[in-house]
Amino acid sequence: MFHRFANPARFLRLAAAVQPWAAGATVVLLATGLVLGLVASPADYQQGETVRIMYVHVPSAWMAIFCYSALAGACAVALIWKHPLAGLAARATAPIGAAFTFLALVTGSLWGKPMWGTWWVWDARLTSVLVLFFLYLGYMALDNAFDDPGRGAKASSILALVGFVNVPIIKFSVDWWNTLHQPSSVVKMGGPAIHPSMLTPLLLMGLAFTTYYVWVLLIRIRREIIATKIRALQMRQAAGQGAAAPAAAPAPGEAR
Amino acid sequence: MSGFVLVIRRDLHLAFRQGFESLMVVAFFVIAVLLFPLGVGPEPNILARILPGVIWVAALLASMLSLERLFQTDYEDGSLELLALQPVALEVMVMAKVTAHWMTTGLPLIVAAPLLAVLMNMPADGLWALMAALVIGTPSLSLIGAIGAALILGSRRGGILLSLLVLPLYIPVLIFGASAVDAVLGGFSAKPQLLILSGLLVAALPLCPWAGAAALRQSME
């Protein structure tokens, strides 16, 4: 079951079938979520209209952690089973996750200025998410630091697994430390502490961000596969020319 | 076990042969800390307030600067492959290299720290907390750094890349190391911070050599 999807050709067929659905779902969910969140949902009795930043901030923060978990999972699969597509998925996930983390940091900062009176506080949640951002950057830098792409993929996979220690720290930072950031109010014992009129757009936005991730991920993996093919063709062409040059006569096709 | 001791002795021999080179880390540490009174201004109160953080940040950077050469020279002259061929597990080899690294960088930093603390007007009761935090915290720095040092082998621009990989992972040690001293200076016990630092060390002790050895293996494929 697992290795059935290791075949790039089969994956490309599957991706081509899934991609329009992911794109359509993203557009529909994002539109409904934004309308419900920005227009239809009530303003908070304490926070006023700024509460609407939450509909972007919370899903981005969810996705930041989700993408890192997906990245670490894909890296583990790539290292253990040498699954070629898992390596491509990990490499394709990293920039998306970094973008979500950046979005979460920026929107949180924009919300913090009117609410907390400051753009940034050095508390456990904010700091650990900033560390997550740097882990993404480190992963991408290490991935691209080698002349041999295979080496970079392996080295960065180990780094991604090491950096996974940060994920539980982010999750529980609001419970372990006494911080300014509020604790989780959606996933908690005794049900969510948010009124349905706000919870519905929030969950819709979360779903929209997830389908957006799937959409962009498929585009990026297809791009990686095509780039690998192009590289292989160029190498073959270069090898063909190199072999053909010293010899006097052979036709390009027979060079090897 | 003998392989472990032999690798430590070899690395220490190499460090002593190079003489001043191993002391350069301490020189960097001292100079980096001494830049702060010049940059921030010489008021004793401010210096005493920022000192724990300054010493820890300088220790972090000094430890990181020396990491680049932890495996690099062995990787380049091929002795790393010979070490990997020994009947001793590669994890043990990494542990030995880390121990030698700590003895040549961590220990000198711990020796130099009290002198800097006196120069920067640190109250005496903060001193033992600083020493205890450094003794427990610096081995974690060497352990975590070994992963980064193994990962960058054979890459372009290794040194600057190493800082991007290792510094985010150093942050917990920095936070609890500096806050241990702050707690004592504020009149509290440093015990919770020191216990967390010990916990970090206990977690890093088995996990970091394992990850470092995995990184070394993929670099030699």
Side-chain angles (χ1 to χ4, degrees), chain B residues 106-115 131:
Chain B
L107 268 185
L109 294 190
I110 295 172
V111 174
L115 183 69
M131 298 303 285

Side-chain angles (χ1 to χ4, degrees), chain A residues 11-12 22 28 67 71 112-113 120 164 183 188 214-215 217 251:
Chain A
F11 173 82
L12 283 176
V28 172
C67 287
L71 174 69
K113 185 60 185 169
W120 185 263
F164 191 72
K188 62 182 265 184
V214 173
W215 178 23
L217 179 74

Side-chain angles (χ1 to χ4, degrees), chain A residues 82 127 131 134-135 137-139 141-142 144-147 150-152 154-156 158-159 162-163 165 169 177, chain B residues 75 147 150-157 161 164-165 168-169 171-172 175-176 211 214-216 218-221:
Chain A
K82 311 232 184 303
T127 311
V131 171
F134 284 120
L135 285 174
L137 292 188
Y139 173 88
L142 191 61
N144 292 314
F146 294 89
D147 293 326
R151 278 279 331 264
K154 266 187 199 149
S156 55
I158 296 176
L159 180 74
V162 171
V165 291
I169 296 181
W177 285 282
Chain B
Y75 177 75
I147 305 176
L151 284 175
I152 59 154
L153 291 177
S155 71
R156 294 172 255 128
R157 312 172 135 266
L161 183 61
L164 186 58
L165 305 188
L169 299 172
I171 287 176
I175 290 176
F176 293 110
L216 283 184
Q218 61 89 22
S219 79
M220 288 183 287
E221 268 176 10

Side-chain angles (χ1 to χ4, degrees), chain B residues 19-36:
Chain B
F20 189 68
E21 195 151 320
S22 54
L23 283 178
M24 287 210 300
V25 175
V26 187
F28 170 82
F29 176 63
V30 172
I31 288 175
V33 172
L34 291 185
L35 286 179
F36 279 83

Side-chain angles (χ1 to χ4, degrees), chain A:
Chain A
M1 148 75 202
F2 205 59
H3 292 278
R4 277 190 55 200
F5 299 106
N7 180 339
R10 182 176 285 140
F11 173 82
L12 283 176
R13 276 202 305 278
L14 193 70
V18 173
Q19 199 179 313
W21 290 98
T26 307
V27 172
V28 172
L29 287 167
L30 201 62
T32 358
L34 281 176
V35 169
L36 281 183
L38 298 186
V39 183
S41 78
D44 190 82
Y45 79 102
Q46 263 184 332
Q47 305 176 11
E49 300 292 336
T50 43
V51 74
R52 302 187 195 285
I53 294 176
M54 174 190 79
Y55 299 119
V56 178
H57 173 71
V58 175
S60 343
W62 284 342
M63 292 309 293
I65 299 187
F66 173 79
C67 287
Y68 198 88
S69 312
L71 174 69
C75 286
V77 171
L79 274 181
I80 297 169
W81 288 287
K82 311 232 184 303
H83 194 298
L85 276 175
L88 292 183
R91 170 187 279 234
T93 296
I96 314 175
F100 277 128
T101 314
F102 185 70
L103 195 61
L105 288 169
V106 168
T107 51
S109 181
L110 290 175
W111 181 88
K113 185 60 185 169
M115 284 302 115
W116 295 342
T118 170
W119 297 108
W120 185 263
V121 285
W122 289 101
D123 80 349
R125 175 58 72 87
L126 278 71
T127 311
S128 52
V129 174
L130 190 63
V131 171
L132 182 74
F133 184 61
F134 284 120
L135 285 174
Y136 276 120
L137 292 188
Y139 173 88
M140 290 190 282
L142 191 61
D143 193 21
N144 292 314
F146 294 89
D147 293 326
D148 169 16
R151 278 279 331 264
K154 266 187 199 149
S156 55
S157 295
I158 296 176
L159 180 74
L161 291 178
V162 171
F164 191 72
V165 291
N166 191 31
V167 168
I169 296 181
I170 295 178
K171 174 76 187 79
F172 294 111
S173 57
V174 281
D175 305 327
W176 291 345
W177 285 282
N178 189 11
T179 74
L180 204 51
H181 194 285
Q182 56 267 57
S184 173
S185 42
V186 176
V187 183
K188 62 182 265 184
M189 302 283 280
I194 303 185
H195 191 267
S197 63
M198 289 182 167
L199 186 61
T200 316
L202 182 62
L203 292 180
L204 280 177
M205 289 297 281
L207 273 178
F209 277 34
T210 315
T211 51
Y212 173 79
Y213 164 71
V214 173
W215 178 23
V216 179
L217 179 74
L218 290 178
I219 296 177
R220 293 190 62 93
I221 296 182
R222 291 173 76 180
R223 183 194 148 274
E224 291 282 347
I225 293 178
I226 293 167
T228 316
K229 274 186 190 164
I230 292 176
R231 204 178 307 130
L233 285 175
Q234 281 173 338
M235 299 279 262
R236 197 177 301 165
Q237 202 178 22
Q241 281 168 354
E254 299 162 21
R256 297 173 69 230

